[in-house]
Each structure stands twice: as C-alpha cells, then as structure tokens.
Amino acid sequence: MKASEATRLFFENAADKVDLDDSMRKLLLAAEREVQVQVAVEMDNGEIETLVGYRVQHDDSRGPMKGGLRYHPDVDLDEVRSLAALMTWKNAVVNIPYGGAKGGVCVDPNKLSRKELERLTRKFVDQIHDIIGPHTDIPAPDMGTDHEIMSWIRNQWEKYHGFNPACVTGKPVEHYGAEGREEATGRGVGILAFKLLGRLGRKPAETRVAIQGFGNVGTHAAKFLHEAEFKVVAISDVTGAYYRPDGIDIAKALRFSNEHGRSLNGYPEADRISNEELLGLDVEVLIPAALGGVITSENVDQIKADIILEAANGPINPHADSVLHERGVMILPDILANAGGVTVSYFEWVQNLQYYKWDLNRVRQELDHVLTQAFEQVWQEANDWQASLRTAAYIIAIRRVHRATVLAGI
Ligand code: NAD
C-alpha cells in the first residue's frame, strides 16, 4: 500500500466518526502545492549527479506550514505527500499554530561526503527558496538530515532573503538553534511512554522495551527510557538488531555507536538478531523509530508487544493497525508520539522571532506541558468515542483544521 493511501485511510476512519462531508474531506486531504525539482550536484570526483527533490505543502489553515526534510533512497513524491499530511494532523493534535509540509531528496546520505551533502543542500535551497520562509513554510531535520544541514539551509536561504534564522529549525545551538531540540522527539516519546504506562497502571522497571532505529529519535528515546528505569532489551540500526534480555546499557551502546561512525555494527555486548526478529520480540513496549511501513499484514501476527509507540512516521499500515487494535494492543500514533520534535521546533521559531533565548529547563518544561495536554485530550477523546488513540487523535486534528479552514473562508 502506498504511504499516502495509508494516511488517507486513517483520516477517513476519523472523518466517518465525525460525519465530515465529502467536499470537506476532499479539501482537507489534498495538498495545496507539490513541487518537484532537479538537483544537480557536483561530486568530489568531478562527476555530476542528478537527484530529485520534493517539497509538499499540505495545509496552511492553522499557520505557516512546517515539516522536516528527509534524505533517503526511498524518498518519492507519494512518501513526501503522506508525510506532509501527517504534519498537518500532528501540529493540530499538539495545538501549535502551524500547518503541515514535508520535503525530501531521493539520495543515500551515507554515500555522500560532507562537502557533497553541503552542495546538495545549497542547490536544493536554490530551487525552493522562494516557497519556503519563516512565515510560509519552515523546514526541519528528519531522517538523514541533521543540525549542520539546517545551518546550510539557513545560510543559503538568507543569501536571497536576508537575515532571518526563523526560516528553518533544528539548527545548531550556536546558530540560533533551541536548547533541547536535538533530544526533543526522543524525549517526547519517553514522556508519553510514562503517561501511557501511568494510565495503564504499569511500572517502568517491569517494562521491557525494544527500539528499532538508533538515530536521532531512537537514541534519545532509549536514553530517556533507560534513565527512567525501563528495561531496554533491544536496539537496532540499518546494520541489524542487538538483543540482551537483561537490558542494554544505553550509555555504553551510545559510546560504541559514536566511536564507530554512528553505527552499531559489531556491538559486542548483545546478541545480534535481525530487524525483523526485533519487531517480534517478547517485550511489553515496541518502539519503531526508523522507517515507515515496517508493521504490515505480513508480520503483524508476530508482534508480541501490547504497547506500540510510533516514534517513526507511518510505521504501521492500516490493515496491521486494525488487527492490532482488535487484539487490544495499545498504539500511541505517530501524530502524537513523535510530536515532541516539531513542538520544540516551534519553540525555536518563537525564540528566533523574538531574538530571545530560553534555557534548557524552560524548553523541557514547556515540552512536557504541551505533550501532557495533548495526551490527556487524546485519551479523553478515545474514551468518549470508544475509539483507538489514533482515531481519537485524528478526530481532534480534523476538528481543529476544519474549524480554521471554515473561519478563514474558502
Ligand atoms: P536518523 O536518520 O537520525 O536515524 C534513522 C535510524 O534508522 C538510523 O539508526 C538508521 O540506521 C536506522 N535505519 C535505517 N534503515 C533501517 C532499517 N531498514 N531497519 C532498521 N533501522 C534502520 O532519523 P531520525 O531523525 O531518528 O528519524 C527516525 C524516524 O523518526 C523517521 O520515521 C522520522 O520521520 C521520524 N521523526 C523524526 C523526527 C526528528 O526530529 N528527527 C521528528 C518526528 C519524527
């Protein structure tokens, strides 16, 4: 199933509950603008590589559009379209004043040098600079991109439009970035894990966790949960998965990964298993924090966890989602579970617009506040409708975007 089809089905489930009429469904589902550009990059060996980049702007009824930029070989227009729509619903669920957008370049960033990555990023900005900006569409990091890349985006965008660091978020702290942005998505997953466990009367120390993906989101989620005494028994990256039933020392694993080019390959203190096996481990909590579409009708029967936190965007397809829901598995949906990142991006944007810097404590407190409020609202809505947390989150999001659209006038 295509990624955009999956996002549409989740939307439709909630739209059915609130009896949203067909014309409004059509309006809310369609992207406002889809841009595809050619990005020609000179490689270090002098050859020219021609890549394809996308920026999809889904909806701006609640504010400037906001969403990450992904560098990955699987990026295509359909994936970016789906991720842009998810951003609209995510920003609405946590009630920050943004619409949704997403960008991507079809490229394997691991095969490029830093200089090549920089040339690629600057060239991409050359192609889209007039449709992004602090009051229209604000990019941020996603898979395969990092704070240094955000710095290049800012620098290149400012060459056309003048000083305005609010044109992109997820920048280095020395370059108008927010304290706590890098940890925010993973930390948010941890905060929400606590809330959910509390509601279910479970204790962290009795909770085994498996995490797929050990990048920005996976490492910070693992660190937070490990420090909060959850038992993280498995972690993984593109090289494979690493399992230790007694619990993995996350600080040690992080040190190993940092010393080995951000790779867990050969991590000696755990048994090596496959990423597929990790998904089927006997654990209480499963956290997909890498790619989309990893839990499908083909492997759903192997899933043993009874709580899934969607740290990645779109990790469970709609068929698997309904099978898991019927089995009583509690799924915290991506549009809430990983919203900590965009929330702190919003704080960064606010600080940039005010030329005023918050300290880490304030960022963490405000993040906790926003996520707690969103979690409580979604929990309540799910109880009111006797619906899954995903459908409840979509109902809240649709209501807010619908209302803003109507208020603005068509
Ligand atoms: P990242 O590039 O920092 O890390 C991705 C990780 O996934 C790496 O460890 C990589 O080795 C691993 N990986 C890649 N392919 C894999 C595979 N086939 N099997 C197992 N692991 C694999 O990316 P990230 O920023 O941590 O993003 C991860 C997910 O979280 C994505 O779905 C992204 O859209 C979502 N997300 C990220 C943010 C953010 O702030 N970075 C915010 C919201 C959502």
Side-chain angles (χ1 to χ4, degrees):
M1 179 184 292
K2 293 203 300 197
S4 64
E5 182 64 9
T7 312
R8 189 185 67 75
L9 283 172
F10 290 139
F11 169 94
E12 297 279 8
N13 278 346
D16 287 347
K17 287 240 183 239
V18 294
D19 279 334
L20 193 71
D21 66 59
D22 286 347
S23 54
M24 192 49 78
R25 286 182 199 221
K26 209 167 156 189
L27 179 63
L28 297 191
L29 276 169
E32 286 182 15
R33 182 193 261 157
E34 300 184 341
V35 174
Q36 174 175 329
V37 294
Q38 186 195 70
V39 193
V41 189
E42 186 179 352
M43 307 310 272
D44 292 343
N45 64 6
E47 280 177 19
I48 307 291
E49 189 80 53
T50 304
L51 305 166
V52 183
Y54 308 91
R55 188 78 192 169
V56 174
Q57 299 176 330
H58 176 252
D59 189 278
D60 66 353
S61 58
R62 299 184 64 260
M65 293 171 281
K66 183 95 186 80
L69 174 64
R70 176 176 291 197
Y71 289 172
H72 194 275
D74 292 343
V75 164
D76 61 18
L77 179 58
D78 185 76
E79 182 184 70
V80 180
R81 189 180 280 155
S82 151
L83 292 166
L86 279 179
M87 288 309 300
T88 299
W89 312 129
K90 189 180 304 182
N91 293 330
V93 171
V94 289
N95 213 3
I96 54 178
Y98 283 143
K102 198 82 179 191
V105 177
C106 178
V107 65
D108 185 347
N110 299 317
K111 294 194 174 140
L112 266 55
S113 69
R114 289 308 285 184
K115 276 286 157 208
E116 288 167 341
L117 272 177
E118 179 175 349
R119 288 197 287 274
L120 154 63
T121 303
R122 290 185 184 279
K123 202 62 186 284
F124 185 52
V125 175
D126 286 342
Q127 306 278 51
I128 64 161
H129 73 88
D130 53 353
I131 61 156
I132 60 171
H135 303 295
T136 47
D137 175 2
I138 308 126
D142 190 72
M143 269 184 94
T145 57
D146 58 22
H147 59 281
E148 197 181 8
I149 293 178
M150 299 305 115
S151 220
W152 298 330
I153 293 178
R154 174 193 156 205
N155 184 268
Q156 195 67 12
W157 187 87
E158 287 183 342
K159 285 181 184 165
Y160 293 96
H161 304 278
F163 175 79
N164 202 331
C167 65
V168 59
T169 61
K171 301 178 294 289
V173 282
E174 303 84 355
H175 257 182
Y176 292 87
E179 299 285 348
R181 170 61 185 90
E182 203 163 310
E183 68 176 22
T185 310
R187 185 178 181 83
V189 172
I191 291 170
L192 291 162
F194 250 110
K195 304 278 167 217
L196 189 56
L197 253 72
R199 286 286 183 172
L200 301 173
R202 306 261 196 103
K203 294 194 176 68
E206 292 162 13
T207 306
R208 293 165 300 166
V209 184
I211 304 178
Q212 181 182 61
F214 208 58
N216 173 288
V217 180
T219 52
H220 286 290
K223 197 161 163 266
F224 185 95
L225 293 172
H226 180 68
E227 284 166 7
E229 294 184 349
F230 284 75
K231 205 184 211 187
V232 181
V233 295
I235 52 177
S236 82
D237 65 11
V238 71
T239 68
Y242 304 85
Y243 175 49
R244 190 166 181 272
D246 291 340
I248 290 175
D249 182 334
I250 297 301
K252 261 192 190 168
L254 265 170
R255 220 172 304 126
F256 180 91
S257 158
N258 287 336
E259 284 163 7
H260 294 79
R262 307 233 158 167
S263 167
L264 287 168
N265 198 14
Y267 181 61
E269 311 227 0
D271 298 330
R272 189 172 183 144
I273 57 173
S274 69
N275 262 296
E276 201 51 44
E277 285 170 312
L278 176 142
L279 294 174
L281 280 177
D282 179 21
V283 290
E284 284 71 39
V285 175
L286 176 63
I287 306 185
L291 302 170
V294 291
I295 301 177
T296 64
S297 38
E298 264 141 55
N299 62 1
V300 66
D301 293 336
Q302 287 149 34
I303 305 294
K304 297 190 190 67
D306 53 10
I307 298 174
I308 303 179
L309 309 177
E310 290 189 323
N313 282 310
I316 305 179
N317 83 6
H319 177 257
D321 185 71
S322 57
V323 172
L324 291 166
H325 181 59
E326 271 161 34
R327 255 173 43 198
V329 176
M330 188 70 76
I331 300 171
L332 197 72
D334 46 9
I335 57 173
L336 175 57
N338 68 35
V342 72
T343 302
V344 176
S345 269
Y346 166 59
F347 299 158
E348 181 174 326
W349 181 76
V350 166
Q351 293 170 67
N352 291 161
L353 292 177
Q354 298 183 341
Y355 306 106
Y356 185 77
K357 201 165 169 56
W358 303 1
D359 64 20
L360 180 60
N361 234 357
R362 178 165 178 194
V363 171
R364 285 180 170 176
Q365 268 174 17
E366 301 249 5
L367 173 65
D368 197 284
H369 173 70
V370 169
L371 293 182
T372 301
Q373 210 168 37
F375 175 81
E376 296 302 337
Q377 286 170 355
V378 170
W379 187 267
Q380 184 62 46
E381 197 80 26
N383 278 339
D384 291 350
W385 288 93
Q386 287 300 300
S388 67
L389 295 175
R390 188 189 310 281
T391 299
Y394 270 90
I395 289 174
I396 292 171
I398 290 172
R399 196 187 294 135
R400 288 180 178 152
V401 177
H402 178 203
R403 179 88 182 124
T405 305
V406 171
L407 283 173
I410 306 295

